[in-house]
Amino acid sequence: MITQKLDAINDYANAVNVASEILKSGGIVAVPTETVYGLAASAYSDDAIKSVFTAKGRPQDNPLIVHIASIDMLNDIACDIPDVAYECAKAFWPGPFTMVLPKGDKIADSVSAGLNTVAVRFPSDKTICDIILKSGLPLAAPSANTSGRPSPTTASHVIEDLDGKIDAVVCGNDSSVGVESTVVSLVGEKPRLLRPGAVTPEQLRKILPDLIIDDAVLKQLKEGEKVASPGMKYKHYAPKTNAILVEGCSNSFVRYVNQKTDCAAICFEEEYYSISVKKISYGSKRNESTLAKNVFAVLRDIDTLGVKEVYIHAPSKDGVGLAVYNRLIRACGFNVVTL
Ligand code: TXA
Ligand code: MG
């Protein structure tokens, strides 16, 4: 298959039109969103959804998020929608926020991988919204990476992983948030945070005061443990290089990595010039949003460093830092050193 590269920066209208036509005819297209690039397919087409699973090499039991471009579209996707879902929609949409709700009948069964629930998001990115409106389709879209690899925040990350495996890539701006959406389940007794993102627990608790943070957000699940979000159980984002997450202050981190050999450090910009091994900064330790924006690109760069081990300085778990920490601990296979 030849993957069309559609230039959404210089020829926006054409990119949106061609992408919509491909999606209407059952094809699969990578599109930018504010969180990460997504690999979109019609949420009504079982065949198109199956092509998404194949292109990504995604485990069959890991359901997809359906993207909509107005709150009205929610009724086509979910049923028995509780009032609190509309309150969340009003507070956090359009934006990096996904709700799990009871699944409506119109959506292809493969979207939910056999569950009776469906995850829905109304993104703020203009390009994906224009494609949804132009095609008239809700779009099921997982992140547009090969399963297990870091999520793509640029069109070139998508091409690196999926060139030749999908119909087209809409090449737009880099993702501004950089980590995938916050996922909250509203189907249990209490609302449950399944995946942290740029909408933080502090913000969520203003609408959902009894929010529970699922164990899988920060802990490794035991073999056979029941999981609320299937995506949580898979090894994710890992570089090929052995990666270790390091918790501690800047002085201790610098001292720790400087006495190691054949290794590299993923550090904060404040530490950069004190580190004597190979290093990449992923932003200031005081700015969790920048760390989020850079984290996946840095995880992709690790394997180009040619070292045996990489030590990643853990961010604070405040605000969007929790989302960055959640991705890094998975990238490190829950291998953590506390100094
Ligand atoms: O920001 C995002 O959410 C991006 C962009 C493209 O919108 N999408 C994304 O999709 O991250 P994906 O497939 O990489 O992650 C979806 C997550 C997985 O952890 C999956 O298990 C969970 O959402 N999920 C989807 N449907 C679910 C459901 N019905 N119940 C529980 N978890 C669900
Ligand atoms: Mg993903």
Side-chain angles (χ1 to χ4, degrees):
M1 184 187 292
I2 292 175
T3 300
Q4 284 191 63
K5 319 289 184 310
L6 304 168
D7 182 349
I9 291 177
N10 299 303
D11 201 356
Y12 183 76
N14 180 64
V16 168
N17 283 340
V18 175
S20 306
E21 287 308 315
I22 297 173
L23 289 161
K24 282 199 286 186
S25 60
I28 59 174
V29 182
V31 294
T33 90
E34 74 277 24
T35 55
V36 301
Y37 272 66
L39 178 55
S42 165
Y44 296 141
S45 165
D46 250 318
D47 285 345
I49 304 297
K50 284 188 181 123
S51 315
V52 166
F53 278 90
T54 307
K56 280 182 59 87
R58 185 176 178 101
Q60 294 295 330
D61 65 347
N62 193 6
L64 311 184
I65 295 173
V66 178
H67 296 70
I68 56 178
S70 70
I71 294 182
D72 285 347
M73 284 178 82
L74 189 54
N75 294 311
D76 295 332
I77 317 300
C79 61
D80 303 326
I81 302 167
D83 289 345
V84 73
Y86 289 102
E87 285 171 44
C88 288
K90 204 165 147 225
F92 306 125
W93 280 355
F97 174 72
T98 297
M99 294 188 263
V100 175
L101 293 167
K103 180 178 169 298
D105 295 339
K106 288 196 201 164
I107 297 300
D109 283 337
S110 49
V111 168
S112 285
L115 300 175
N116 56 8
T117 56
V118 64
V120 197
R121 174 161 106 87
F122 176 177
S124 62
D125 184 272
K126 178 172 161 49
T127 314
I128 183 166
C129 288
D130 283 346
I131 295 170
I132 294 167
L133 296 172
K134 182 98 203 170
S135 64
L137 293 169
L139 296 177
S143 49
N145 52 304
T146 299
S147 237
R149 294 261 297 149
S151 295
T153 52
T154 69
S156 39
H157 292 162
V158 176
I159 292 165
E160 220 171 84
D161 281 13
L162 299 177
D163 200 14
K165 297 180 176 171
I166 61 179
D167 295 296
V169 185
V170 176
C171 302
N173 293 319
D174 296 355
S175 300
S176 57
V177 174
V179 288
E180 309 91 332
S181 60
T182 302
V183 180
V184 172
S185 170
L186 295 178
V187 296
E189 227 162 80
K190 290 198 170 161
R192 183 176 284 267
L193 177 68
L194 301 181
R195 182 176 71 182
V199 174
T200 63
E202 297 77 28
Q203 291 171 299
L204 293 168
R205 286 202 169 108
K206 294 198 173 126
I207 315 278
L208 306 167
D210 52 352
L211 181 80
I212 295 170
I213 301 196
D214 197 85
D215 273 353
V217 167
L218 289 175
K219 284 198 226 119
Q220 186 164 28
L221 294 164
K222 294 187 194 78
E223 193 75 33
E225 199 169 333
K226 192 170 178 294
V227 31
S229 181
M232 296 277 202
K233 71 182 179 206
Y234 294 106
K235 186 167 177 181
H236 240 123
Y237 318 121
K240 293 187 189 83
T241 311
N242 188 28
I244 299 119
L245 193 62
V246 182
E247 300 218 50
C249 68
S250 276
N251 284 343
S252 315
F253 181 75
V254 169
R255 228 177 301 125
Y256 183 74
V257 294
N258 282 352
Q259 40 110 23
K260 298 273 178 188
T261 50
D262 199 7
C263 78
I266 305 301
C267 63
F268 301 128
E269 96 196 356
E270 291 85 349
E271 300 152 356
Y272 189 84
Y273 291 104
S274 311
I275 292 175
S276 53
V277 297
K278 282 187 187 173
K279 59 210 166 178
I280 307 176
S281 154
Y282 69 123
S284 167
K285 62 180 167 191
R286 289 187 188 81
N287 188 340
E288 284 93 14
S289 301
T290 310
L291 300 175
K293 189 168 160 46
N294 294 333
V295 66
F296 284 133
V298 166
L299 285 174
R300 280 178 183 259
D301 285 345
I302 284 174
D303 290 328
T304 64
L305 294 170
V307 293
K308 202 168 132 249
E309 268 168 355
V310 62
Y311 295 93
I312 305 178
H313 200 171
S316 98
K317 298 186 196 92
D318 294 337
V320 68
L322 181 67
V324 180
Y325 191 100
N326 166 278
R327 306 317 188 265
L328 286 174
I329 201 167
R330 285 176 165 68
C332 294
F334 292 86
N335 195 353
V336 182
V337 171
T338 306
L339 301 176

